[in-house]
Amino acid sequence: MRSLTWTLLATGSSLSVLAIGVGVGGHPRKDFELVGERHFVGSMPGRPVLADLDADGDLDAVVVCGPCCGRDPRADSGHVQVLLNAGDGRLEPAGEPVRLGPTSLGAAVGDVNADGKPDVIAIHHSSYDAAVLLGDGRGGLGMPTYFKLHDGASPHVHSIALADANADGDLDILATLVDDHAMAVLLGDGAGGFTPAPGQPFFAHRHPYAQLNVVDITGDGALDAVMTDMRGGGLTVLVGSGTGMFSPLHGFNLETSMPIAAAERPMACSLGDIDADGDLDALAFIDESPTAVRMLNRGDGVFEEPSEPIVDLGSASVGGELVDTTGDGVLDIVASGAASNVVAICRGRGDGTFERAELIDAHGRSPGVAVGDMNGDGIPDLVTGNYDSGTVSVLLNTRRTGHR
């Protein structure tokens, strides 16, 4: 049985709560401290996006509230909220939330109109509308302008990314269209406007899903797209041409081209060089399972399972990141929680394998986790959007850099 101990620490005139996570096997961890208040941002907040929205040098948080699969919209969701960082990790709302559609789901941040100020692009689970909200450079967002991702009949959008897909210097919108078996690409004009790429949306096998990754995975200098094929049970790579057009790496068959044999329903994936061979590998998070699957890159964008590919996350998850949390130069797993109050961390060994999971209390239920340095000490911290609690938590990393 796992347990959690909470300790109150006096910090000046306020109290903070020290999160003591208990790792697999009952080993206590004291690596993350809850700072400030847990902000209620509305029902069903998703995983935060971290960026400097007010040009003060600190990472702020953008949180979209809205329902995922099987949930109904609520009156206190369907919006985006910006939380500004005081510099020590404490977050405060930057004004009132901006209303979006009732099924708003997630966002990406980038400067889409070339004014030097970060903007927010949001998607909707049950609509093809992508909302563009221009930033004022002080943490404020304008009212949304909408652009159609597709003119289809079955909207089911689950992931968004901003990247320069056609190498013209302007950011473009890419999004997974689950029931269309496709990926949408809208090309940016550098002034905040978007038009469909020629031939889009692009075929993406059976069920393209969460955490769309846009990187050069094939090494030809053009950006590609890597995503999970959840119902197809594998990974999908769409090869970019550098013109904003994409094609599947292994043909136009509906079934996945890179199957995952070790587990079913890969929901999300994160990319990183976990075995130190210079190539980006993939870690696939299995839907609401305490399991992740390692997929190693052969060097040409083809991912294969090694022997013993399973990683035990210690608690059910729906996604996460590969990031160095200790400053030792080795990527670790940071996994979001599903129907629990914990975030899982598995320290990487640098050879493609990981240590036993440590469970960190997120102080909110079903935490979607983002990783970034929230207090300027050079060490990555955790920010969680707690889907079933309606709150956002900031957990400061108290581990010294380079120490495991």
Side-chain angles (χ1 to χ4, degrees):
M1 178 178 178
R2 299 185 181 96
S3 62
L4 290 167
T5 303
W6 292 28
T7 303
L8 291 179
L9 299 179
T11 55
S13 60
S14 63
L15 288 178
S16 60
V17 183
L18 181 66
I20 303 182
V22 177
V24 176
H27 300 296
R29 307 301 309 192
K30 301 181 181 180
D31 300 336
F32 290 89
E33 178 184 339
L34 178 69
V35 63
E37 299 179 0
R38 288 158 285 175
H39 289 282
F40 182 78
V41 291
S43 290
M44 299 173 286
R47 175 176 173 264
V49 180
L50 305 182
D52 184 4
L53 273 293
D54 57 358
D56 65 352
D58 303 313
L59 288 178
D60 309 304
V62 177
V63 184
V64 175
C65 294
C68 191
C69 303
R71 298 286 186 96
D72 294 324
R74 298 178 186 172
D76 61 348
S77 65
H79 60 256
V80 58
Q81 176 72 69
V82 174
L83 300 172
L84 296 181
N85 188 349
D88 60 359
R90 299 172 191 271
L91 299 178
E92 293 293 340
E96 295 297 315
V98 180
R99 296 298 302 178
L100 299 169
T103 65
S104 55
L105 182 63
V109 176
D111 180 7
V112 301
N113 63 343
D115 65 352
K117 303 168 185 176
D119 310 304
V120 174
I121 317 299
I123 54 171
H124 299 77
H125 179 273
S126 303
S127 168
Y128 289 116
D129 290 332
V132 176
L133 301 95
L134 299 181
D136 63 7
R138 300 184 300 275
L141 299 175
M143 296 305 293
T145 301
Y146 292 97
F147 297 89
K148 284 284 186 187
L149 294 168
H150 180 43
D151 188 20
S154 184
H156 183 182
V157 185
H158 235 285
S159 184
I160 181 174
L162 289 177
D164 185 5
N166 62 344
D168 66 351
D170 301 317
L171 288 176
D172 311 309
I173 299 173
L174 300 89
T176 56
L177 309 181
V178 180
D179 291 346
D180 295 289
H181 318 296
M183 182 183 73
V185 178
L186 301 184
L187 300 180
D189 61 7
F194 294 87
T195 55
Q200 83 96 36
F202 301 105
F203 178 73
H205 297 290
R206 183 178 296 280
H207 206 74
Y209 216 63
Q211 287 188 218
L212 175 62
N213 301 270
V214 184
V215 297
D216 178 12
I217 201 69
T218 58
D220 63 356
L223 291 178
D224 311 304
V226 182
M227 67 208 78
T228 53
D229 180 357
M230 189 164 79
R231 289 187 181 172
L235 293 182
T236 291
V237 173
L238 300 187
V239 178
S241 64
T243 65
M245 302 175 70
F246 293 80
S247 60
L249 184 62
H250 289 303
F252 289 86
N253 54 309
L254 191 61
E255 299 305 321
T256 185
S257 60
M258 282 176 277
I260 295 174
E264 297 179 349
R265 293 177 62 84
M267 183 174 185
C269 70
S270 183
L271 302 183
D273 184 7
I274 63 175
D275 58 357
D277 66 352
D279 302 313
L280 290 176
D281 308 301
L283 186 79
F285 296 88
I286 304 305
D287 184 23
E288 296 188 1
S289 162
T291 298
V293 178
R294 298 178 297 130
M295 299 286 284
L296 300 183
N297 188 346
R298 295 189 324 192
D300 56 359
V302 175
F303 296 94
E304 296 177 338
E305 291 174 70
S307 59
E308 301 181 6
I310 293 292
V311 179
D312 183 359
L313 300 175
S315 183
S317 179
V318 291
E321 296 189 31
L322 287 167
V323 62
D324 178 9
T325 64
T326 64
D328 64 354
V330 178
L331 293 178
D332 311 308
I333 300 171
V334 181
S336 300
S340 73
N341 289 359
V342 298
V343 170
I345 297 181
C346 300
R347 312 290 176 181
R349 297 190 179 102
D351 60 357
T353 64
F354 296 87
E355 297 177 5
R356 296 182 302 174
E358 304 161 12
L359 302 182
I360 308 298
D361 190 352
H363 304 284
R365 190 162 177 81
S366 298
V369 65
V371 182
D373 180 7
M374 298 299 291
N375 61 349
D377 64 356
I379 305 173
D381 308 302
L382 310 181
V383 184
T384 62
N386 305 313
Y387 185 81
D388 290 324
S389 300
T391 59
V392 171
S393 304
V394 178
L395 305 171
L396 296 184
N397 190 342
T398 60
R399 185 188 293 261
R400 289 179 296 163
T401 347
H403 288 254
R404 303 186 63 77

